[in-house]
Amino acid sequence: MKRRKFYVVWVGHNPGIYDNWPDAQEQVTNFPGAKYKAYDDIDEATAAYRGDPREQLGLMRALLQRKPDYDPKARQARDYSTLPGVRMDAIAVDGACAGNPGPMEYRAVRLADGAEIFRIGDKTPLTGTNNIAEYLAMIHLAALLAKAGDFSTPIYTDSRNTLAWLRRGRSKTSLAATPQTEKTLALLARADAWLAANGPIRNPIIKWPTESWGEIPADFGRK
């Protein structure tokens, strides 16, 4: 009988402990600098995942500061420092969806240099809505910052819906459960669970004034 293994993902799309390789593989595929390992015992995996808190803090800080390889077209050429009152130490999040529902992705971009912190949905297809994509981007970034002990970096969003869901304390969507939306709804449930356990988000959340500043730096440019 084949022995069951547990997979620890320290650095990947969604760090955590997975009880099967396909799910763990999804978290590390196309993720520069991914860090993961297989264990034969859940207790051993749990202890390894927790590890030295100082080491884990360093890993997450390195993740937030990295400049990964990605499509150079995704970099933002604009100098946002000329905008009155802009926080150049901030990270912007946004989502995009072709249809409602349809193919969905989301990402986070640092204002200071246009570096993409993460981009989800471009390699592993997701089906959802624009509202869900923008909310997942917010929670994903907030979780990364919290893991790194960073509660001071501001987060920009242009989504009124995301702000409303944050005030509500959970998402609100009518997306139907289908084989195509299964992964998206699982991510949404995980995001809601994180917010319930860790919210409200402690980082400053700032509404990006699209009308006066133009598109948010994390925009996908598909309008």
Side-chain angles (χ1 to χ4, degrees), residues 11-12 15 31-32 58-66 110 117 144:
V11 179
F31 195 102
L59 284 171
M60 296 312 298
R61 282 178 175 164
L63 170 63
L64 291 168
Q65 293 171 1
R66 71 183 174 87
R110 224 170 29 223
I117 304 299
L144 282 179

Side-chain angles (χ1 to χ4, degrees), residues 41-70:
D41 182 81
I42 184 59
D43 292 332
E44 185 181 5
T46 301
Y49 179 65
R50 290 173 178 170
D52 184 336
R54 292 169 298 179
E55 179 183 353
Q56 295 306 312
L57 180 61
L59 284 171
M60 296 312 298
R61 282 178 175 164
L63 170 63
L64 291 168
Q65 293 171 1
R66 71 183 174 87
K67 293 183 180 180
D69 294 329
Y70 64 95

Side-chain angles (χ1 to χ4, degrees), residues 82-121:
T82 60
L83 298 174
V86 70
R87 291 289 302 271
M88 290 302 293
D89 58 334
I91 299 174
V93 295
D94 201 15
C97 189
N100 188 33
M104 177 192 85
E105 58 183 312
Y106 55 92
R107 66 175 183 161
V109 171
R110 224 170 29 223
L111 265 70
D113 57 8
E116 196 172 59
I117 304 299
F118 61 77
R119 185 169 185 169
I120 308 298

Side-chain angles (χ1 to χ4, degrees), residues 11-217:
V11 179
H13 295 299
N14 288 289
I17 301 173
Y18 295 84
D19 62 1
N20 64 86
W21 173 237
D23 284 350
Q25 185 179 36
E26 185 175 322
Q27 312 312 316
V28 300
T29 300
N30 298 313
F31 195 102
K35 184 177 176 64
Y36 60 97
K37 186 178 179 180
Y39 292 88
D40 294 325
D41 182 81
I42 184 59
D43 292 332
E44 185 181 5
T46 301
Y49 179 65
R50 290 173 178 170
D52 184 336
R54 292 169 298 179
E55 179 183 353
Q56 295 306 312
L57 180 61
L59 284 171
M60 296 312 298
R61 282 178 175 164
L63 170 63
L64 291 168
Q65 293 171 1
R66 71 183 174 87
K67 293 183 180 180
D69 294 329
Y70 64 95
D71 184 354
K73 294 179 181 179
R75 288 189 61 86
Q76 305 298 312
R78 181 180 175 187
D79 180 9
Y80 293 97
S81 65
T82 60
L83 298 174
V86 70
R87 291 289 302 271
M88 290 302 293
D89 58 334
I91 299 174
V93 295
D94 201 15
C97 189
N100 188 33
M104 177 192 85
E105 58 183 312
Y106 55 92
R107 66 175 183 161
V109 171
R110 224 170 29 223
L111 265 70
D113 57 8
E116 196 172 59
I117 304 299
F118 61 77
R119 185 169 185 169
I120 308 298
D122 58 327
K123 302 298 184 182
T124 302
L126 292 170
T127 298
T129 68
N130 194 67
N131 287 338
I132 291 176
E134 292 174 329
Y135 175 73
L136 289 177
M138 172 64 72
I139 301 300
H140 191 139
L141 178 59
L144 282 179
L145 293 172
K147 187 76 172 181
D150 179 354
F151 300 104
S152 61
T153 295
I155 303 173
Y156 277 118
T157 177
D158 64 0
S159 171
R160 291 185 176 87
N161 188 80
T162 292
L163 296 175
W165 285 5
L166 292 179
R167 289 192 297 269
R168 188 172 184 265
R170 62 184 185 280
S171 61
K172 183 180 181 181
T173 179
S174 58
L175 183 67
T178 67
Q180 291 72 33
T181 63
E182 182 178 1
K183 289 183 179 179
T184 298
L185 291 175
L187 285 174
L188 195 59
R190 186 182 300 178
D192 284 345
W194 184 91
L195 187 60
N198 301 276
I201 295 171
R202 292 165 59 182
N203 296 77
I205 298 175
I206 309 172
K207 175 69 168 61
W208 181 267
T210 305
E211 298 77 9
S212 55
W213 288 2
E215 297 298 340
I216 194 168

